[in-house]
Amino acid sequence: MFENSHLQTHRTFSQKASIVLIGIRGTGKSSLAVILAATSGRRLIDADRYFQQIVGCSRATFKKENDGFVYRQQEARVMESMLADNQEGCVIACGAGSMERNGQRLLREYAQTHPVIHVIRDPESIQSYLKAWDTQKVRHFLEISGPIYRGCSNLEFFNLSETRSDNVDKDNSNASPAHKIEPRSYTPIPFLTLKRVQRDFLRFIAFITGDIAELNSQHASFPLSLLPVESRTYTSAVSVPLSKLGEKGIDIEELEFSADAFELAIDVADPSAQPELDSNIADNISQAVATIRRNIIVPLIYHVESYTTPGGTSSPTRAPVRCTDETYLNLVRHGLRLSTGFLTVDLSRDDHIISQIISASGRTRIIGHFEAFQPLPGGWDGDEYMKVYERAKRLGCDVVRLFQPAESAEDNLAVQRFRHRVQSLPVSGLPLIAYNTGPLGRMSRCFNPILTPVTHPSLATQPSTQLRSDITAREAQQALYSSFALDPMQFFVFGANTTYSMSPAMHNTAFKICGLPHKYSIHQSPTLRGLNDLVENQYFGGSSVSLPYKTECIPLLHSM
């Protein structure tokens, strides 16, 4: 199997647990280790330097002066000592010399209780660093070494190369779209306090170690992200297939715009292929996740498609084929290594498969996913969907997602009744995503309150002559307000002299683009008391406070 079946880890670690970085030369693991040590106060240990300190000479010298058996014995003793004596408060960078057979065994054991991170990078960047091999040789070496390094680690970080814009680096004009600096890289601090790679890596480490303070500081410029997305109502998730992500002209920021989560749908499974996960596919998935993370601020959902259509979307008449349990499990395991915010599990799989995934999920939240290709007996009003929901709850899922094709408009009312049944359970249940698919089911998507699946116009695959089955985030918002499910809110810039403010022009334009009917206006007042008139309005959505009331209004706040 692609990932060592004996490597069973819960991926939940103490914040003090030492962290090991492994990877071939040129991936940047040593630089990442220095970054982590400098910013976290962890002690930096370089495995090659440690060997020299213990033995009294370098690996190369010791290897030259002794036969292979003696060297392997000495390497194992040094490696065992290094890991055993540095259980907490360290970051350990291991080079190729640590990857002898005994070193692999020790790393697998260490990964039971510690993060062991496989650092990878694109072949072009590695070749540029090594300046010895051609890119094809690097690519071949990555393909061979990938399964070995992944078998010794429980996490994976793709060190995405970056090129700076012209005012910093003149090479940006030749950079690939995925590597160019996007406008969001110039957002206010704290994002600008760190280089992009440094920011990505520290955010990754903060997530896997559960360092809430560091995560909050990383997201301080985007306070909405501090609220769990499943706790907010009428949120949406834009779903993007992996196969689409590599297409020319795909703009990740544009896809994410106005969505509350970004779902990467892994649609690479070939039912006729070998169950082992190909190293190149694994690299591509890791790079896609890294590229998405760099360009979004919302949670990332990792979803493996259980069913694929032979011949792809170009053969819509061919029936979907279910991939094997082993193929599915290997793709999901790879997603767990990447530590995304959410990951889906296919509830049509057996309990032992789902339990394996959940037990190894670490801090990744699990969405129990159940897709009915035809309505279950009794539909939403029957007992079958409630059984699926209760099973997901029993297995330990954090969220449940259920959907079926709509056969009539009545199905949209039925799914609302099902949501109400779940909400009326005597014991508080899991957050529920429930909707109908197909053209007749679009209304149910609009009124699904949590992480409604949406698309983007640039991802359209259906011919214009066919009735669409999906909706965009803008369409979902417009439906909520045009049906009076939600009311337009009023926003203001409040101050003594605000006629100069550009806020109304900016916010009203943004509202229009997002499909929101809100209104942002200027409100001037000679005293702070004028703020009461705004707050008492039941349609008050919020206000920016300008001079001279910026500090005066603080005592009126419930929280900051």
Side-chain angles (χ1 to χ4, degrees):
M1 292 179 66
F2 162 70
E3 182 173 332
N4 193 315
S5 59
H6 300 293
L7 181 58
Q8 295 297 327
T9 174
H10 295 286
R11 291 190 176 87
T12 303
F13 316 103
S14 162
Q15 286 188 30
K16 295 181 180 179
S18 291
I19 296 170
V20 176
L21 305 183
I22 64 174
I24 70 169
R25 286 187 64 216
T27 56
K29 64 183 179 299
S30 297
S31 298
L32 293 174
V34 170
I35 287 172
L36 183 56
T39 55
S40 68
R42 293 175 182 270
R43 188 158 55 89
L44 176 61
I45 298 175
D46 180 87
D48 291 336
R49 219 172 275 143
Y50 189 90
F51 184 96
Q52 187 162 346
Q53 290 171 354
I54 298 297
V55 178
C57 64
S58 68
R59 288 179 192 273
T61 301
F62 189 90
K63 201 170 187 178
K64 186 177 180 180
E65 295 176 352
N66 297 274
D67 63 33
F69 178 75
V70 173
Y71 167 73
R72 286 191 294 273
Q73 278 192 321
Q74 183 64 58
E75 165 59 34
R77 282 195 291 267
V78 172
M79 185 83 166
E80 188 169 13
S81 169
M82 179 180 69
L83 296 177
D85 296 344
N86 298 284
Q87 295 278 329
E88 292 187 345
C90 300
V91 52
I92 305 170
C94 293
S98 304
M99 297 303 293
E100 299 285 349
R101 187 176 296 277
N102 284 321
Q104 293 178 35
R105 175 183 58 81
L106 290 168
L107 285 171
R108 283 195 292 270
E109 292 173 0
Y110 202 69
Q112 302 298 316
T113 52
H114 294 75
V116 178
I117 304 171
H118 177 212
V119 180
I120 59 174
R121 204 174 187 183
D122 63 278
E124 292 76 17
S125 296
I126 295 175
Q127 189 278 329
S128 177
Y129 174 81
L130 295 178
K131 300 187 185 303
W133 297 347
D134 58 37
T135 303
Q136 190 57 41
K137 190 171 182 180
V138 172
R139 188 172 282 110
H140 180 64
F141 186 70
L142 283 171
E143 189 175 346
I144 295 173
S145 65
I148 298 171
Y149 280 87
R150 288 185 172 112
C152 302
S153 57
N154 48 20
L155 296 160
E156 186 157 312
F157 179 80
F158 193 100
N159 191 4
L160 196 65
S161 301
E162 64 174 310
T163 56
R164 306 304 296 265
S165 57
D166 288 342
N167 61 335
V168 183
D169 190 321
K170 296 179 181 179
D171 294 332
N172 192 51
S173 58
N174 297 321
S176 65
H179 294 166
K180 286 186 179 180
I181 293 288
E182 300 291 342
R184 186 164 285 146
S185 65
Y186 298 110
T187 50
I189 53 177
F191 273 33
L192 269 187
T193 60
L194 304 172
K195 292 180 181 178
R196 307 183 83 204
V197 170
Q198 184 172 343
R199 183 197 74 203
D200 293 348
F201 185 61
L202 293 182
R203 188 164 53 179
F204 179 79
I205 296 296
F207 182 81
I208 64 175
T209 59
D211 189 343
I212 303 302
E214 176 63 22
L215 283 172
N216 288 349
S217 70
Q218 289 273 345
H219 286 238
S221 294
F222 309 99
L224 193 61
S225 63
L226 301 180
L227 297 174
V229 67
E230 69 276 14
S231 71
R232 307 186 332 246
T233 55
Y234 296 120
T235 52
S236 64
V238 61
S239 181
V240 182
L242 177 68
S243 57
K244 281 279 188 181
L245 201 62
E247 291 184 1
K248 187 175 181 181
I250 289 290
D251 185 333
I252 293 173
E253 281 192 31
E254 179 67 22
L255 295 175
E256 177 223 30
F257 177 69
S258 77
D260 302 282
F262 190 107
E263 179 172 309
L264 176 63
I266 307 301
D267 57 348
V268 299
D270 181 357
S272 63
Q274 294 296 317
E276 293 82 6
L277 182 56
D278 180 86
S279 189
N280 288 327
I281 292 176
D283 288 352
N284 290 338
I285 293 173
S286 298
Q287 184 168 12
V289 168
T291 305
I292 293 168
R293 275 177 166 153
R294 179 159 292 183
N295 290 280
I296 68 173
I297 57 174
V298 298
L300 175 57
I301 303 170
Y302 182 94
H303 169 65
V304 175
E305 297 280 8
S306 271
Y307 291 83
T308 57
T309 303
T313 54
S314 60
S315 305
T317 56
R318 302 184 70 175
V321 178
R322 179 181 166 98
C323 65
T324 65
D325 286 345
E326 193 171 4
T327 298
Y328 174 80
L329 194 53
N330 279 323
L331 285 166
V332 172
R333 279 176 174 160
H334 189 68
L336 291 174
R337 293 172 56 81
L338 303 174
S339 286
T340 57
F342 290 90
L343 179 142
T344 67
V345 293
D346 181 0
L347 293 173
S348 69
R349 305 278 172 175
D350 292 339
D351 280 14
H352 76 279
I353 291 177
I354 298 172
S355 296
Q356 278 187 61
I357 295 167
I358 293 176
S359 66
S361 61
R363 301 186 191 279
T364 294
R365 307 203 72 197
I366 299 297
I367 300 175
H369 170 96
F370 184 81
E371 176 180 5
F373 289 97
Q374 59 183 17
L376 297 184
W380 293 110
D381 291 319
D383 295 328
E384 296 304 314
Y385 286 112
M386 187 60 77
K387 290 178 183 177
V388 175
Y389 177 86
E390 292 292 350
R391 176 170 172 257
K393 188 176 178 180
R394 172 175 54 81
L395 290 170
C397 295
D398 299 292
V399 183
V400 184
R401 180 165 71 183
L402 313 173
F403 55 98
Q404 66 163 36
E407 296 183 334
S408 68
E410 166 62 23
D411 287 332
N412 296 321
L413 300 177
V415 72
Q416 288 184 332
R417 292 194 294 270
F418 177 75
R419 285 195 214 103
H420 181 71
R421 282 171 61 195
V422 170
Q423 291 168 359
S424 302
L425 291 173
V427 179
S428 180
L430 302 179
L432 172 66
I433 307 167
Y435 57 91
N436 296 309
T437 57
L440 289 174
R442 286 176 295 178
M443 186 177 79
S444 71
R445 293 194 181 201
C446 295
F447 293 100
N448 169 66
I450 301 173
L451 293 175
T452 292
V454 296
T455 189
H456 188 272
S458 64
L459 299 175
T461 56
Q462 290 174 294
S464 57
T465 53
Q466 290 185 7
L467 197 58
R468 283 175 46 215
S469 299
D470 49 31
I471 60 171
T472 65
R474 176 185 169 86
E475 288 170 338
Q477 288 290 340
Q478 288 177 320
L480 290 169
Y481 288 97
S482 61
S483 63
F484 306 107
L486 296 177
D487 290 312
M489 305 300 285
Q490 296 173 16
F491 297 83
F492 303 90
V493 54
F494 176 83
N497 180 19
T498 54
T499 54
Y500 64 89
S501 177
M502 294 296 294
S503 293
M506 291 190 297
H507 285 274
N508 287 325
T509 300
F511 288 150
K512 184 178 180 180
I513 292 173
C514 294
L516 302 170
H518 305 318
K519 186 178 180 182
Y520 193 105
S521 308
I522 289 173
H523 188 93
Q524 294 191 155
S525 173
T527 67
L528 181 61
R529 189 169 297 178
L531 191 58
N532 293 333
D533 298 333
L534 302 182
V535 176
E536 289 171 0
N537 179 352
Q538 64 174 322
Y539 299 112
F540 174 70
S543 178
S544 308
V545 179
S546 185
L547 293 172
Y549 308 125
K550 287 188 175 184
T551 54
E552 256 189 275
C553 72
I554 291 177
L556 304 178
L557 304 177
H558 291 98
S559 62
M560 290 184 65

